[in-house]
């Protein structure tokens, strides 16, 4: 094998494989656990479907390769950091900046065996800026994935997921784009017909105990 093939094999056997064993929502009681790898698959799938929809419905020009790259890479740093609760990430700007610096070091380790590691790190950085349509699609898909997971947990009787379900719906309300609000309205209609829960201001195991900036 030449050096390029050795680089690939070393990456394949590398630290990103941990994502299959790193669980999301690790501070909340769960019935069926969700790994970061599983979540990233669905975010990638939904991102692809939404990109096609927007291109066909609204005639947007979308870099679909960039969408998929963003989706696949958006949580890859969690192979070292684990899934950090969103409210902790949002607790302070200082913490977020420190975490991002640490994540850069993590990405250097994850992609260290690849000669084009800078390309992947740049893709990861761009995916988190949310200042282009491609990154916005991935962010919305990420939130939709949260909604679907918490919806399934609620259907199985896990009331601890109600707060996550409600806060995920609320996050979609902040987007001004017509297509996002259309999705939100349809999601609310669908889930309202299929969930028998009462929305409450009192939540056990709340992720909102630590108040911070939007994340």
């Amino acid at each position: 094998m030449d050096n390029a093939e050795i680089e690939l094999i070393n990456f394949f056997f590398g630290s990103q494989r941990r994502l299959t064993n790193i669980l999301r929502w690790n501070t909340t009681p769960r019935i069926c656990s969700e790994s970061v790898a599983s979540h990233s698959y669905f975010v990638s799938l939904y991102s692809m479907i939404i990109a096609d929809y927007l291109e066909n419905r609204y005639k947007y020009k979308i870099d679909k390769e960039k969408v998929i790259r963003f989706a696949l890479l958006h949580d890859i740093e969690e192979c070292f950091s684990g899934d950090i609760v969103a409210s902790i990430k949002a607790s302070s700007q200082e913490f977020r900046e420190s975490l991002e610096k640490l994540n850069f070091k993590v990405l250097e380790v994850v992609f260290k065996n690849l000669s084009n590691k800078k390309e992947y790190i740049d893709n990861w950085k761009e995916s988190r800026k949310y200042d282009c349509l491609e990154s916005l699609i991935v962010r919305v898909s990420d939130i939709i994935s949260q909604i679907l997971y918490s919806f399934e947990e609620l259907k199985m009787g896990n009331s601890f997921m109600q707060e996550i379900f409600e806060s995920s719906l609320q996050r979609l309300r902040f987007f001004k784009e017509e297509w996002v609000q259309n999705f939100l309205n349809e999601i609310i209609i669908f889930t309202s017909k299929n969930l028998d829960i009462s929305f409450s201001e009192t939540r056990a195991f709340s992720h909102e105990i630590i108040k911070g900036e939007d994340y």
Side-chain angles (χ1 to χ4, degrees):
M1 293 191 294
D2 61 25
N3 288 337
E5 291 170 339
I6 293 173
E7 286 178 355
L8 289 177
I9 298 303
N10 285 334
F11 176 77
F12 293 157
F13 282 88
S15 53
Q16 85 287 342
R17 291 291 303 170
R18 300 175 186 177
L19 295 174
T20 61
N21 296 309
I22 294 175
L23 301 181
R24 288 166 54 79
W25 315 113
N26 48 68
T27 61
T28 303
R30 305 172 305 280
I31 295 175
C32 291
S33 294
E34 177 186 46
S35 71
V36 176
S38 173
H39 166 72
S40 293
Y41 166 77
F42 285 109
V43 173
S44 300
L45 177 64
Y46 302 152
S47 295
M48 178 184 70
I49 298 299
I50 291 174
D52 286 340
Y53 166 80
L54 294 179
E55 196 173 65
N56 294 329
R57 176 70 181 273
Y58 294 96
K59 309 305 179 185
Y60 290 157
K61 293 183 179 179
I62 301 172
D63 187 335
K64 295 182 182 179
E65 179 182 348
K66 184 179 286 188
V67 169
I68 297 301
R69 281 174 172 262
F70 285 1
L72 289 171
L73 293 171
H74 83 286
D75 277 340
I76 197 167
E77 77 284 355
E78 292 184 7
C79 65
F80 280 94
S81 68
D83 180 54
I84 301 175
V85 177
S87 57
I88 299 296
K89 292 180 182 178
S91 60
S92 75
Q93 182 66 27
E94 181 181 2
F95 177 78
R96 285 169 59 181
E97 291 175 355
S98 297
L99 182 61
E100 289 298 282
K101 290 179 181 178
L102 178 61
N103 285 337
F104 294 156
K105 294 180 180 179
V106 168
L107 294 173
E108 289 284 345
V109 174
V110 172
F111 296 111
K112 66 180 180 180
N113 294 313
L114 300 178
S115 57
N116 60 335
K117 69 177 183 180
K118 184 180 184 301
E119 178 182 1
Y120 296 115
I121 294 174
D122 287 345
N123 285 156
W124 179 88
K125 290 179 181 178
E126 191 177 356
S127 73
R128 303 169 81 81
K129 292 180 180 179
Y130 312 133
D131 59 355
C132 67
L133 181 56
E134 288 80 10
S135 61
L136 177 61
I137 289 171
V138 175
R139 180 57 178 152
V140 171
S141 299
D142 189 13
I143 297 172
I144 289 176
S145 176
Q146 294 176 16
I147 292 171
L148 294 175
Y149 175 75
S150 55
F151 169 77
E152 291 167 354
E153 286 286 301
L154 287 169
K155 287 287 287 183
M156 290 185 286
N158 182 3
S159 60
F160 291 111
M161 275 288 165
Q162 181 172 334
E163 182 263 331
I164 292 173
F165 175 75
E166 292 179 31
S167 62
S168 298
L169 287 175
Q170 185 62 31
R171 285 192 176 98
L172 286 185
R173 296 184 191 279
F174 293 129
F175 294 91
K176 298 179 181 179
E177 288 75 12
E178 177 187 353
W179 60 273
V180 179
Q181 294 309 307
N182 288 343
F183 284 173
L184 174 59
N185 290 336
E186 292 302 321
I187 288 171
I188 290 174
I189 292 172
F190 182 90
T191 56
S192 295
K193 291 179 179 178
N194 289 275
L195 280 180
D196 183 21
I197 62 172
S198 58
F199 295 95
S200 173
E201 292 301 320
T202 303
R203 302 181 176 101
F205 289 84
S206 178
H207 288 262
E208 304 299 327
I209 293 173
I210 298 178
K211 297 294 184 181
E213 302 168 17
D214 291 336
Y215 181 80

